[in-house]
Amino acid sequence: MRVIIEKDYLAMSIRAAEFIADLVHKKPHCVLGLATGSTPVGLYERLIHLHQNEGLDLSKVTTFNLDEYYGLAPNHDQSYHYFMHDKLFDHVNIPAHQINVPSGLAKDVDSWCSNYEQHIIDAGGIDVQVLGIGGDGHIAFNEPGSSLGSRTRIK
């Protein structure tokens, strides 16, 4: 793993957006794994800026989000589906059918999780995964005590 240290949050957000923009230029059909929470908000703001002001074309990008609160509908203002549309998707040109956010309302969770993972495989896998760090040090909603080998599941 290559670790890049920036001087502050803004510099990190700009650097991350430049990294993703470079990937999109080189591989327009790339697959991005996205996170929610406060960590990536600056990155999303910068991607919006690059799209709206510098012509970054995200129309061929496919996205997969890491997480969603179980029991929340996509239009609930606390859902991650809502968060992602508010913070990124409503401001860029990623087609709706290329946006994938876990369902908080799945009836058969195990089957839904298996299908989500298969959909990622069918898309060619994740080219870049954006992760956040929570206040308790968790990474990507893998709360303390989560298995390092765990996959899509309820936590």
Side-chain angles (χ1 to χ4, degrees):
M1 177 185 316
R2 187 172 129 215
V3 177
I4 300 169
I5 299 172
E6 290 293 343
K7 67 179 180 170
D8 58 23
Y9 180 78
L10 177 61
M12 177 207 61
S13 298
I14 291 170
R15 179 74 172 260
E18 290 171 351
F19 183 86
I20 289 174
D22 185 53
L23 173 65
V24 170
H25 288 119
K26 290 177 182 172
K27 186 178 180 184
H29 288 90
C30 66
V31 178
L32 301 177
L34 301 178
T36 54
S38 60
T39 305
V41 169
L43 160 64
Y44 299 153
E45 290 171 352
R46 186 68 185 156
L47 287 174
I48 292 166
H49 172 83
L50 292 173
H51 169 70
Q52 294 178 348
N53 299 299
E54 299 182 26
L56 178 63
D57 181 14
L58 300 166
S59 66
K60 297 176 182 163
V61 170
T62 297
T63 68
F64 288 91
N65 265 77
L66 284 172
D67 45 23
E68 179 58 280
Y69 285 113
Y70 190 69
L72 293 186
N75 62 347
H76 190 286
D77 66 356
Q78 294 299 304
S79 78
Y80 286 154
H81 185 277
Y82 184 96
F83 175 95
M84 288 304 300
H85 280 269
D86 181 54
K87 300 298 183 194
L88 179 64
F89 298 144
D90 288 350
H91 311 284
V92 297
N93 66 333
I94 302 171
H97 69 277
Q98 291 164 211
I99 294 170
N100 300 278
V101 179
S103 172
L105 301 176
K107 299 294 183 213
D108 181 348
V109 174
D110 291 336
S111 177
W112 193 96
C113 290
S114 293
N115 289 338
Y116 196 67
E117 289 187 22
Q118 186 60 51
H119 192 44
I120 293 170
I121 292 166
D122 294 345
I126 304 288
D127 290 302
V128 170
Q129 179 64 60
V130 174
L131 299 173
I133 300 174
D136 62 1
H138 76 262
I139 298 175
F141 228 122
N142 286 299
E143 298 291 339
S146 296
S147 166
L148 293 176
S150 60
R151 310 288 294 180
T152 307
R153 78 237 184 255
I154 287 185
K155 182 65 182 172

